[in-house]
Amino acid sequence: MKNPAPEITEKELNELIQSAKDVLQANWSGSFTRPSKNQYPHQWSWDSVFIAFGYTHYDKDRAEQELRHLFEGQWKNGMIPQIIFDQEHQSEKYFPGPDFWQSETSPNAPDHIKTSGICQPPIHATGVRHLIEYAPDRERAVAFASEIFPRLKAWHQYLDRERDPNNEGLVYIRHPWESGQDNSPIWDGILNRIEIEPSYIPAYSRKDINNVEPDERPSKPEYDTYVYLVNFFRERKYDEAKIRNDDCPFLVQDVLFNTLLCKANQDLAEIAEIIGENPEPFKTRADQIADKMNDKLWLDREQMYVDYDLKASKQIQARVLSGFLPIYASIPDQNRKQQIFEYLNTHCFCQMTDSCFPAPSYDRSGDDYSARTYWRGPVWINMNWLLYEGLKQYGFDDYVKQVRNSIIQLPFLSGFREYFDTNSGEGYGIENFSWTAALLLDILYREESTAIQ
Ligand code: GLC
């Protein structure tokens, strides 16, 4: 196996652990952890859960505080919003801020806290399950789970009711930001199809390219569409039925979002069992999602799962890493797992015999692959974490080891960057990015506790 990274000594590893904790401490706002101080100065939904994975092992108060603060932003209809805005607004640092979203125009928005009007992948029950499993004080973690359980249930009910209105077994997202993979090639076809009159794009000024090179970020036309969609929701006061019935141009059944909901339902069933609630509805829902994904989102020719475009009634054929991630929720059968691994372990996604860091977010042989542009090629640590958790259940040991090593070696070589170059290991995007630090801590702490046993 070729490995482009040097060995790390024990001393260096200990220093890396300390630096990871320092990153989280520096990004701590006093009541939640910012993904990054300047680029993302508010609380982001799925970031906070990844961050809590790390805190669980060495600061359970923080892990609980992180999740509690997130749930304070929960909408009355159950939605956990993508962003909970810092009370200080930080509007000079981030667009679109609360004044643009105007989520208070929805009767469902929370009364005392400003949020965005969309959501992000539902890994929250998984975060609470993780706390029960790994927090040193299990009794306390179980008490926390009992406190949070009604909120988790309301969140899942919102997704089932509002995002799967025909009870098909798959939920939809209505904005690329809801996928967590903002400018993934998955959305290209839809974004090109949406015809926007320039007068329908409200005037706005981007802040993200003040901190990061523009070619590492989404393009102007992509941003125009993001803003257009926000405006579309805002005009409908975030009313889900109106958005759906008024021909929302972006409605997608996304592989990663549904995978994480399936896993979250499996975890919520386990939580229910532990705290003496009925686990059955969550088990049934997890099975329903898995069956429907196998039925509707598998693409045999590509040996992977793909998204489904509800507006065009067709699968979206984009060869992205998230197409393999249903292994994280044990969705594929043995045969499909093998096929997934065969494709993953090719030059396209960094083969074991190549000198590179797995796993690029997009097939490297694609014409529009870009080594440094956000979700269009670079390696992301959260995706590696999901891949690692998924693959290790099936014993693809050598590849698993390489994915694990990437999670440690990339920050070692290049710092806690937002994303990395699969070939050189160079870091891109913002520096001192919280989930890069937190997920490295999670992996290392769990290894240490297994080694001790
Ligand atoms: C970007 C990422 C998204 C993340 C957010 C905050 O929008 O695409 O996944 O949650 O930044 O880190």
Side-chain angles (χ1 to χ4, degrees):
M1 192 197 307
K2 286 191 185 174
N3 192 331
E7 286 299 314
I8 305 179
T9 65
E10 203 178 320
K11 179 167 172 281
E12 286 167 334
L13 201 58
N14 286 332
E15 284 166 5
L16 193 63
I17 291 175
Q18 190 51 52
S19 316
K21 291 182 180 175
D22 292 346
V23 166
L24 295 182
Q25 181 57 34
N27 289 338
W28 175 247
S29 76
S31 36
F32 64 88
T33 312
R34 303 182 166 106
S36 121
K37 248 189 180 156
N38 291 324
Q39 185 80 331
Y40 309 110
H42 305 285
Q43 182 172 32
W44 262 258
S45 171
W46 79 327
D47 294 62
S48 273
V49 183
F50 288 129
I51 290 164
F53 284 157
Y55 282 142
T56 293
H57 305 282
Y58 70 99
D59 193 341
K60 56 186 183 310
D61 290 343
R62 277 277 166 93
E64 288 184 7
Q65 248 180 304
E66 188 74 37
L67 298 175
R68 250 194 211 105
H69 190 269
L70 185 61
F71 278 98
E72 275 173 34
Q74 185 166 29
W75 284 34
K76 291 165 199 149
N77 61 0
M79 183 177 83
I80 302 183
Q82 167 222 19
I83 302 175
I84 317 288
F85 289 110
D86 190 339
Q87 306 295 358
E88 287 170 33
H89 286 183
Q90 312 257 349
S91 52
E92 76 290 357
K93 291 187 185 156
Y94 183 77
F95 173 85
D99 301 342
F100 190 85
W101 284 95
Q102 297 167 12
S103 58
E104 63 282 359
T105 56
S106 164
N108 288 319
D111 296 328
H112 305 296
I113 196 159
K114 305 240 182 200
T115 78
S116 67
I118 57 172
C119 63
Q120 269 195 322
I123 60 169
H124 309 80
T126 302
V128 175
R129 172 82 189 83
H130 184 275
L131 198 69
I132 296 178
E133 193 163 350
Y134 297 108
D137 183 347
R138 184 180 151 99
E139 214 175 294
R140 183 172 150 182
V142 171
F144 176 73
S146 304
E147 171 199 323
I148 290 294
F149 180 76
R151 290 182 174 267
L152 290 171
K153 202 169 143 186
W155 166 221
H156 284 213
Q157 283 169 344
Y158 159 81
L159 290 169
D160 297 348
R161 185 182 67 244
E162 301 295 351
R163 303 307 188 91
D164 182 14
N166 303 321
N167 193 22
E168 191 195 344
L170 294 175
V171 295
Y172 66 72
I173 56 171
R174 52 176 165 81
H175 194 293
W177 287 342
E178 292 201 316
S179 72
Q181 307 163 75
D182 306 6
N183 72 339
S184 167
I186 308 174
W187 324 124
D188 289 359
I190 303 180
L191 265 48
N192 289 334
R193 188 179 70 211
I194 301 179
E195 280 180 22
I196 312 175
E197 285 258 345
S199 60
Y200 281 120
I201 305 171
Y204 71 96
S205 140
R206 282 176 75 169
K207 313 268 190 226
D208 60 309
I209 40 183
N210 296 345
N211 304 311
V212 172
E213 292 296 326
D215 68 343
E216 295 171 24
R217 297 285 307 173
S219 65
K220 162 110 176 49
E222 281 164 338
Y223 237 86
D224 281 351
T225 318
Y226 303 153
V227 171
Y228 168 80
L229 284 170
V230 171
N231 192 44
F232 185 93
F233 306 146
R234 183 173 80 172
E235 283 177 346
R236 286 157 187 79
K237 299 191 169 49
Y238 302 95
D239 180 316
E240 298 288 352
K242 257 198 197 124
I243 291 171
R244 201 167 42 237
N245 299 333
D246 277 2
D247 220 16
C248 174
F250 185 101
L251 292 180
V252 176
Q253 291 168 325
D254 174 55
V255 169
L256 182 60
F257 199 101
N258 279 282
T259 296
L260 295 178
L261 182 59
C262 177
K263 180 72 168 73
N265 271 301
Q266 294 162 1
D267 289 326
L268 198 50
E270 286 196 31
I271 295 171
E273 211 133 8
I274 293 168
I275 66 172
E277 296 277 348
N278 179 12
E280 290 312 319
F282 311 114
K283 282 189 190 160
T284 307
R285 183 65 175 157
D287 291 345
Q288 189 196 12
I289 297 170
D291 288 348
K292 197 68 193 182
M293 284 186 69
N294 278 319
D295 194 27
K296 192 173 178 186
L297 304 187
W298 175 255
L299 180 57
D300 226 10
R301 208 186 53 241
E302 300 288 359
Q303 299 179 212
M304 72 193 317
Y305 292 84
V306 292
D307 281 27
Y308 192 87
D309 176 353
L310 285 172
K311 298 309 290 179
S313 302
K314 61 170 196 208
Q315 289 183 330
I316 304 173
Q317 303 192 9
R319 300 193 308 270
V320 289
L321 180 67
S322 54
F324 303 126
L325 292 179
I327 50 165
Y328 174 61
S330 308
I331 291 168
D333 64 14
Q334 200 51 41
N335 185 28
R336 285 187 179 175
K337 270 168 214 156
Q338 195 57 43
Q339 290 186 51
I340 281 180
F341 182 63
E342 273 161 24
Y343 181 18
L344 185 63
N345 185 27
T346 60
H347 174 70
C348 303
F349 283 95
C350 185
Q351 199 163 13
M352 274 188 279
T353 48
D354 289 347
S355 178
C356 52
F357 297 89
S361 45
Y362 185 42
D363 184 327
R364 297 198 289 174
S365 67
D367 290 343
D368 45 356
Y369 165 83
S370 161
R372 52 187 289 144
T373 312
Y374 217 34
W375 290 98
R376 305 183 72 88
V379 179
W380 286 77
I381 298 304
N382 65 331
M383 303 299 264
N384 271 10
W385 188 95
L386 294 166
L387 188 61
Y388 168 79
E389 291 295 315
L391 282 176
K392 79 176 182 196
Q393 303 165 36
Y394 307 119
F396 301 115
D397 294 350
D398 290 341
Y399 195 89
V400 169
K401 195 166 164 222
Q402 213 150 302
V403 176
R404 177 263 178 211
N405 286 348
S406 272
I407 297 175
I408 318 298
Q409 288 167 338
L410 288 168
F412 175 70
L413 284 174
S414 303
F416 295 95
R417 297 296 293 262
E418 198 178 358
Y419 36 96
F420 301 88
D421 191 313
T422 185
N423 292 320
S424 64
E426 195 180 332
Y428 302 126
I430 206 71
E431 289 171 11
N432 298 324
F433 186 63
S434 292
W435 83 38
T436 303
L439 294 175
L440 170 139
L441 288 170
D442 179 53
I443 298 276
L444 291 175
Y445 268 102
R446 278 157 62 192
E447 286 177 359
E448 194 179 302
S449 68
T450 344
I452 290 165
Q453 282 162 14

